[in-house]
Amino acid sequence: MSDQFLAGRSALVTGSTSGIGLAVAEALAAAGASVVINGLGSAEQIEQAKAQVSQAGAPTVAFCAADLRDVSAIESMMTEHAGIDILINSAGVQFTAAFADMPAERWDSIIAINLSAAFHTMRLALPNMAERGFGRVVNIASVHGLVASVQKAPYVASKFGLVGMSKVAALEYAAAGSRESGGVTVNCVCPGWVETPLIEPQIQARAAQHGGSREEGVRDLVREKQPSQRMSSTADIAALCLFLCRREAHNMTGAALPVDGGWTSQ
Ligand code: NAD
């Protein structure tokens, strides 16, 4: 059994029916946390996610169906789960198109899910965390919160916004709690390429340029910007999130931590 340092704690992970969010939910569960998962998906996908988190070791697993484009749904979710110690904002969407071709409604939905939803979950969770002297917010931003790429205007805007907003929250709550209680911290994790359904359309577009070979598509995508030449796994990202939830990480706040194989060092 892994270190149960989160026994007695509870966590809410947005966008945890898939990808990075699901891996973080499993990692928190394995450390003993009760977990609330959230996200879209078929009934089967949701049951599968719940089963995985439960098997990972969560004492309780709940599911909240809130669609994060809906502020009142977020408010209900946060009222129902007001006691959470850990908030992971992982829900996110991507759509690539040149500036002039970007549909206006894509701008609205990407900003709503990737940025505004995190504002609403944080504004509702942080005061309770401060009152208890312990709280952790980890926002899954991106290298695109640190540098730009073409054809990703709303995504890059949302992630730069998320990094900046997290720093404001980190400052406002920096003095809450104590070294012993663990304090209240707010950080961003900024992954480069992580193999999840989110980037599948980009892999497929590259594969098409290489006679349909998915493997070549992945290689091509990574070669362009990620010097390590390899993608991260979702478990790699989850391991960093888990560390940020430790009491010992009480003085790590306001950081935007790249996990990008050297992408943003160039
Ligand atoms: P994913 O597609 O596997 O998961 C996205 C999750 O968000 C799913 O659970 C989905 O249901 C949920 N979601 C989408 N719209 C929602 C809505 N309206 N309401 C509630 N939930 C919604 O993608 P992922 O790669 O795991 O992405 C997770 C986060 O990581 C995102 O914020 C993404 O921007 C970020 N990220 C991913 C990569 C990568 O290479 N995969 C790189 C950097 C950052």
Side-chain angles (χ1 to χ4, degrees), residues 100-191:
D101 302 328
M102 185 63 74
E105 57 276 15
R106 288 285 185 176
W107 171 273
D108 290 341
S109 65
I110 291 174
I111 296 295
I113 297 163
N114 295 12
L115 178 59
S116 303
F119 167 69
H120 295 300
T121 55
M122 286 162 68
R123 76 175 164 83
L124 296 165
L126 281 163
N128 297 331
M129 292 176 176
E131 220 164 83
R132 293 191 296 268
F134 178 85
R136 293 288 181 266
V137 177
V138 182
N139 293 324
I140 308 300
S142 168
V143 284
H144 288 118
L146 304 170
V147 292
S149 290
V150 295
Q151 302 198 329
K152 296 185 179 178
Y155 189 81
V156 169
S158 72
K159 296 300 187 179
F160 268 74
L162 187 58
V163 168
M165 179 176 74
S166 302
K167 288 180 188 290
V168 175
L171 291 174
E172 290 190 11
Y173 287 90
S178 65
R179 188 165 70 186
E180 289 68 34
S181 69
V184 175
T185 69
V186 181
N187 292 288
C188 284
V189 169
C190 299

Side-chain angles (χ1 to χ4, degrees), residues 15 202 256:
Q202 294 175 77

Side-chain angles (χ1 to χ4, degrees), residues 14-22 38-41 45 65-69 89-94 113-114 140-144 155 159 162 189-199 231 234:
T14 73
S16 47
T17 51
S18 171
I20 294 169
L22 179 53
N38 155 263
L40 309 179
Q45 187 182 359
D67 184 323
L68 302 180
R69 287 166 293 193
N89 284 303
S90 188
V93 289
Q94 172 65 287
I113 297 163
N114 295 12
I140 308 300
S142 168
V143 284
H144 288 118
Y155 189 81
K159 296 300 187 179
L162 187 58
V189 169
C190 299
W193 295 116
V194 187
E195 207 160 348
T196 72
L198 185 98
I199 63 164
M231 293 201 181
T234 56

